[in-house]
Amino acid sequence: MKRIYASIVFTILLIVIGSSIKLKAQIQNSDVYKHPGLNQRNYRVNINIPDLDGFETLKCDFHIHSVFSDGRVWPAMRVDEAWNAGLDAIALTDHVEVHKLKEVDYSDLNRSNEIAQERGVQLGMLVIPGAEITRKKPLGHINALFIKDVNKIKVPNELDAIDEAVRQGAYLFLNHPGWPNDTSTFYPVHKKLVAEGKLRGIEVFNGDEQYPKALNWIKEYQLGIFSNTDLHYTSADSYWEKLQRPMTLVFVKEHSVEGIKEALFAGRTLAYFDNHLAGKEEYIKEIIEKSIDVKIVNPKKNTIEICNKSDITYQIRFGRYMYSIPLFANKTLRIDIPSGTDIAFTNCLIGQDRYFTKKLW
């Protein structure tokens, strides 16, 4: 009798549970059969780049455009794109002086930032208010991050625009120094702005362009290094694969907009682009040391195993090798390397044509 009673109760529970599921979920039948695995909207790429001691590594893009200047994407969608790609923070930097679409109301230049920030709150993405001061060379294009009122920097004189951005507490960096004439020049106006504490960084990579000379300027003038997309169209048009999208790595004390601001003014950045790292030697050194483990397998034959725990594929060269050997992401390489050998990481740049070098054992 107890078994019969238990069976009845269990059957009733199944009916109740089944009914509740049918009420909450769409029935899969011959009329409609959903394939939820095809909806990638809520999937995010996980990027494994190690943190530094005392700092969190944030993956950022500080140069992006929307329909509120000459881009083709709504500001909120820029946040979604970055979240899907595995980024932690973006800055929407619409041009102050360039507005291309007749359908868009440009009367308030803060609107794109407001829309992006609202979406950032919904997704948990850090969104920094920004703008691009867009002038011809020699000044060129200057990005202003942490801007408070974009409308106030739309003034006739370009240096007045710079001064207003500085008054608002903005962080300024030079965009794509080799554009548009394929000549990278650090002009006297830039040196003057650096000396005055107004210009603080340079893009060494933009979209699909690298500016090798900028690595020397960054070291000479102690500037922050940046790598950004400068997106105008959808990110899917340009970046199809994981880690294909360029990023600025920022080493923050706290995961917040203020944390990023403190880190930028302190100069704690690296540039990541096309499977390269570029910037200060001390940061590259720690990223590499936290990325790889070395195991001595046979000291007599100089056989070691190098385990790369990160998502970055490092390229190494040593001895008489003419070409670099890949340390593939998330794989272990067994190789013979004599103790005390200097290893050049040929995709880790500390200057123009200068590679980070270290001994593995």
Side-chain angles (χ1 to χ4, degrees), residues 5 22 48 67 72 117 126 130 176 204 280 287 308 344-345:
Y5 178 75
K22 289 180 181 179
N48 178 24
V67 295
R72 294 296 184 270
Q117 286 177 305
L126 300 177
H176 41 63
V204 72
K280 291 182 179 178
I287 287 285
N308 182 4
F345 286 74

Side-chain angles (χ1 to χ4, degrees), residues 155-335:
V155 294
N157 185 278
E158 57 190 24
L159 294 182
D160 288 343
I162 295 290
D163 288 341
E164 175 57 34
V166 172
R167 273 193 292 272
Q168 293 185 31
Y171 180 99
L172 305 181
F173 66 87
L174 175 63
N175 291 338
H176 41 63
W179 186 87
N181 56 353
D182 292 333
T183 301
S184 296
T185 307
F186 204 56
Y187 290 98
V189 65
H190 301 135
K191 297 175 184 178
K192 181 175 183 293
L193 292 173
V194 170
E196 294 171 347
K198 297 174 182 177
L199 185 66
R200 295 178 175 272
I202 306 178
E203 281 184 340
V204 72
F205 194 89
N206 175 288
D208 60 1
E209 289 187 346
Q210 182 183 348
Y211 314 105
K213 288 182 179 179
L215 287 166
N216 296 334
W217 306 333
I218 287 163
K219 187 168 184 179
E220 181 178 356
Y221 297 102
Q222 296 297 297
L223 298 170
I225 188 168
F226 290 83
S227 172
N228 301 306
T229 60
D230 196 2
L231 278 173
H232 286 72
Y233 294 90
T234 66
S235 63
D237 289 333
S238 301
Y239 310 112
W240 299 350
E241 299 177 359
K242 178 179 178 179
L243 278 181
Q244 189 180 11
R245 179 172 175 158
M247 301 179 294
T248 301
L249 304 181
V250 183
F251 309 113
V252 300
K253 294 179 180 177
E254 66 173 40
H255 192 115
S256 67
V257 170
E258 282 302 314
I260 293 175
K261 185 173 185 179
E262 185 276 332
L264 292 189
F265 276 94
R268 296 195 303 273
T269 64
L270 281 180
Y272 173 87
F273 54 91
D274 194 21
N275 204 58
H276 284 69
L277 288 175
K280 291 182 179 178
E281 185 170 1
E282 61 186 287
Y283 298 143
I284 289 179
K285 178 177 184 290
E286 190 170 352
I287 287 285
I288 290 175
E289 289 179 346
K290 291 184 180 301
S291 295
I292 63 175
D293 288 332
V294 177
K295 177 183 177 182
I296 302 170
V297 178
N298 189 330
K300 291 182 179 180
K301 293 185 178 181
N302 297 313
T303 303
I304 64 173
E305 289 181 350
I306 310 170
C307 175
N308 182 4
K309 302 172 292 184
S310 78
D311 285 343
I312 300 173
T313 292
Y314 295 102
Q315 301 286 340
I316 63 172
R317 192 168 65 209
F318 61 93
R320 296 182 179 180
Y321 280 94
M322 295 178 61
Y323 304 102
S324 297
I325 301 168
L327 297 179
F328 288 112
N330 301 297
K331 290 187 177 181
T332 298
L333 169 68
R334 176 173 287 195
I335 190 171

Side-chain angles (χ1 to χ4, degrees), residues 342-356:
D342 288 327
I343 310 296
F345 286 74
T346 55
N347 63 332
C348 296
L349 306 172
I350 58 175
Q352 185 177 359
D353 300 322
R354 293 182 58 215
Y355 307 130
F356 173 77

Side-chain angles (χ1 to χ4, degrees), residues 55-199:
F55 302 104
E56 180 184 358
T57 300
L58 297 188
K59 287 79 67 178
C60 309
D61 187 350
F62 296 123
H63 191 170
I64 302 176
H65 297 283
S66 78
V67 295
F68 282 85
S69 58
D70 59 346
R72 294 296 184 270
V73 176
W74 190 250
M77 184 56 67
R78 288 299 189 207
V79 183
D80 286 70
E81 289 177 330
W83 186 89
N84 291 138
L87 271 64
D88 302 300
I90 65 167
L92 204 63
T93 54
D94 279 319
H95 297 282
V96 176
E97 297 85 0
V98 179
H99 309 111
K100 290 290 184 71
L101 300 179
K102 296 179 181 179
E103 301 85 356
V104 178
D105 180 7
Y106 296 114
S107 59
D108 182 4
L109 300 182
N110 296 302
R111 186 67 184 130
S112 60
N113 282 317
E114 292 169 354
I115 295 169
Q117 286 177 305
E118 182 179 351
R119 183 58 176 159
V121 171
Q122 294 171 352
L123 290 184
M125 169 76 74
L126 300 177
V127 178
I128 295 166
E132 184 171 9
I133 300 169
T134 310
R135 306 299 174 108
K136 294 181 179 180
K137 283 189 171 183
L139 181 68
H141 295 192
I142 305 288
N143 262 8
L145 307 183
F146 313 103
I147 204 77
K148 294 182 173 62
D149 188 348
V150 182
N151 297 308
K152 290 184 178 180
I153 61 175
K154 190 177 182 181
V155 294
N157 185 278
E158 57 190 24
L159 294 182
D160 288 343
I162 295 290
D163 288 341
E164 175 57 34
V166 172
R167 273 193 292 272
Q168 293 185 31
Y171 180 99
L172 305 181
F173 66 87
L174 175 63
N175 291 338
H176 41 63
W179 186 87
N181 56 353
D182 292 333
T183 301
S184 296
T185 307
F186 204 56
Y187 290 98
V189 65
H190 301 135
K191 297 175 184 178
K192 181 175 183 293
L193 292 173
V194 170
E196 294 171 347
K198 297 174 182 177
L199 185 66

